[in-house]
Structure formats: C-alpha cells, structure tokens
Amino acid sequence: MDFIDRRTAIAGIGAAIGCAALPVSARAAPDDVFLLSYFTDKDEGREGLKLASSDDGYVFRALGNGRGFLTPMVGENRLMRDPNLVQGPDGLWHLAWTSDWFGPVIGHATSRDLMHWSPQQTIPVMKGFVGVRNSWAPEAIYDRARGDFVIIWSSSIDGRFGATAGEKFAGIKLRPYYTRTKDFRTFTPTKLLFDPGTDSIDFTWLRLADGGLRLIYKDETHDTETRRWLVSRSAASPTGPFGPVSAPFTKPMTEGPTAIRLGDRYIVYYDVYEQHRFGGASTTDFVHWTDESARIRFPENARHGTVVRVPRAFADRIA
C-alpha cells in the first residue's frame, strides 16, 4: 500500500473537478480521513469494489450504503478480490485486483474520483511462464526514484521451489513476482521479487516517515496450527534489497495486511479470516507491537483491501 499524502490526494480532486491542486504541506491535515477499499466474501467479490471511511483510523463506516462502486467485468471468474488502490503523481487512481481463482492475469481500472471508472482490463502478468497456477493479491506502489509503478503479486509455477511444508493446495508454491510500468499499458518482463523460503502472499508496502519502506506480508506455510501469520522486513526500494525477516507480529490465521502512519506510530490492519473480523497492531520500530484489535471496526463481511489517507472533501463526494 502506498501512503498517500495530502498533496497527492488533492491533486486527484483537482483533476476530477477541473482545477489545479493547491500547494499544501505533505504532513496530514486535520480534515483528512482514512479511506478503505475492500471486498466482501459472501459473493467472492462479485459485488465489486466497496469503500469505507474513518475519522480516526480505527472505526470505518461503509460509503454508499455498502454498494459496489465498480462491478468486475474481466477475467474468467469475474472476481474482485483484494482490491488495491494507489494514486500516481498525476492524481489518477489505479485499482488492481485478483480477477480469477486460477490463471495468469490480474484486473485493473483507473478513476479520478473512485465513482467513475475507465474500461477494465486484464494485465497478463504471468503470460510468459509455463505452468502458472494463479496470480493473487496484487499491490502497486509508485516508485518516486524511478518515476514508475511497481506491481507485486503472488503466483505459483509448477516445478519451482520444490515441496513446501504443509502446503494447503496440492502443487501451489506461492512466491512474490513483480513488474514495472509507467502507463499500465506496457510492462517490464515479470521477475521474482525474492524467495522468502516459504509460501508467502498478501504483500504490501508501508512508506515510512524517514523515506524508507517496509514490506509486510503473510507467511502462508500450512504446518500444524502455527504460521499463517504476518511478518515484515525493511526495503531499500520497492524491489529491494530487503532486510532480514522479522519475527511474526500477529497470531496464526491472519492475512491481508494494509498499513498506514497514524500520528507517531504505524498501524497494520489485518484480516482475522477464520473469525470473520479485522484486527490491528501498532508499532514505532517494527520490533515492539501493541495489539489495537479491540478498537478496530470494519464494515460487516469486509475482506482485505487498502487503507489510504485522503482529504475529507474527497470522501464526502463519494458518500
């Protein structure tokens, strides 16, 4: 998840209503709110993109009475799972999502206001590989140093990485892959981001106050009742090099992280999927964590997506 500062978000409003963005501080203003993109599992995401907002970063309320803001129209299964929102320097929002249970593509569309959308497309992120099983949970971030977007997702390719202890699906060996793009029309050749050494999924970036990055993801190893928890590592850039993997900071059976800076702390939201609820943990150093789950409230039936910070006026237009 790419942290959206107020300057970038106001650029999106300016583009949407035809006026120039105002010069403002990159520090969050009091009239900012937090915007959540999510899907609901009761229909496997077929109702499409859902949105919710929060004043304090803890309690999120569904916008538009919980309606879908974009119905999936691409992919063999026409799903919209794991909807990831990222905004470019031109104010344009990009939405990437899991469009199929199995296959080599992901879904993509763009919007200025998150209400009116471009035609949807599939991005053939794994078309160049033989034996691809899936392309799950895409995330994108704008790489400021290189002036392009990095898209990351998890895929399994038959015959690669050998057996994984406790794997859930026969033959699935989930690893992170990435591609780069400036325009979401042409893409660099897909590459392995790194080998975590275990099945891993639900990768998300957190942009830090000092300009660094943190990569957060789920260790998907299925070996008894342990694992299937969240870990993190430092990142010199969206594609690494990466620091050592951290100790897990959530209990088993947690996934779908998205993270923001909240005051002087960072908070990671996560899906406690077997209990059908969301939790959260906050930290200042990615070593010591405080469980914030008692304060977290997401809309009913919500499953994981992205939390970003936007001006209140932007969220009010959607509501």
Side-chain angles (χ1 to χ4, degrees), residues 1-3 204-207 216 257-261 266-269 307-308:
M1 188 278 295
D2 191 7
F3 181 83
T204 190
W205 291 278
L206 172 62
R207 207 180 289 278
I216 304 164
T258 182
I260 59 168
R261 181 182 172 193
Y266 302 99
I267 184 166
V268 180
Y269 309 93
V307 175
V308 295

Side-chain angles (χ1 to χ4, degrees), residues 104-230:
V105 305
I106 61 173
H108 171 258
T110 62
S111 177
R112 292 285 178 186
D113 58 9
L114 306 187
M115 295 181 289
H116 304 91
W117 291 87
S118 69
Q120 299 171 38
Q121 66 166 339
T122 54
I123 302 175
V125 290
M126 297 298 288
K127 282 285 190 181
F129 297 85
V130 176
V132 172
R133 294 289 193 94
N134 63 297
S135 305
W136 288 347
E139 293 259 338
I141 186 173
Y142 184 73
D143 188 339
R144 297 169 179 172
R146 293 188 45 161
D148 63 3
F149 294 89
V150 177
I151 310 172
I152 184 177
W153 65 94
S154 290
S155 286
S156 176
I157 302 175
D158 288 344
R160 295 202 179 188
F161 301 109
T164 301
E167 61 188 339
K168 182 177 180 180
F169 302 106
I172 293 290
K173 315 290 191 303
L174 295 167
R175 296 296 190 275
Y177 292 84
Y178 78 96
T179 184
R180 289 181 173 272
T181 182
K182 289 183 178 293
D183 55 10
F184 285 82
R185 290 292 181 270
T186 59
F187 303 88
T188 61
T190 291
K191 296 181 179 179
L192 180 71
L193 185 67
F194 66 96
D195 180 8
T198 65
D199 281 346
S200 300
I201 195 172
D202 294 349
F203 290 79
T204 190
W205 291 278
L206 172 62
R207 207 180 289 278
L208 306 180
D210 62 4
L213 291 170
R214 198 81 189 180
L215 186 67
I216 304 164
Y217 61 95
K218 179 189 180 185
D219 179 340
E220 180 68 341
T221 303
H222 290 70
D223 63 351
T224 72
E225 294 303 314
T226 63
R227 306 255 185 147
R228 286 174 281 179
W229 48 36
L230 300 184

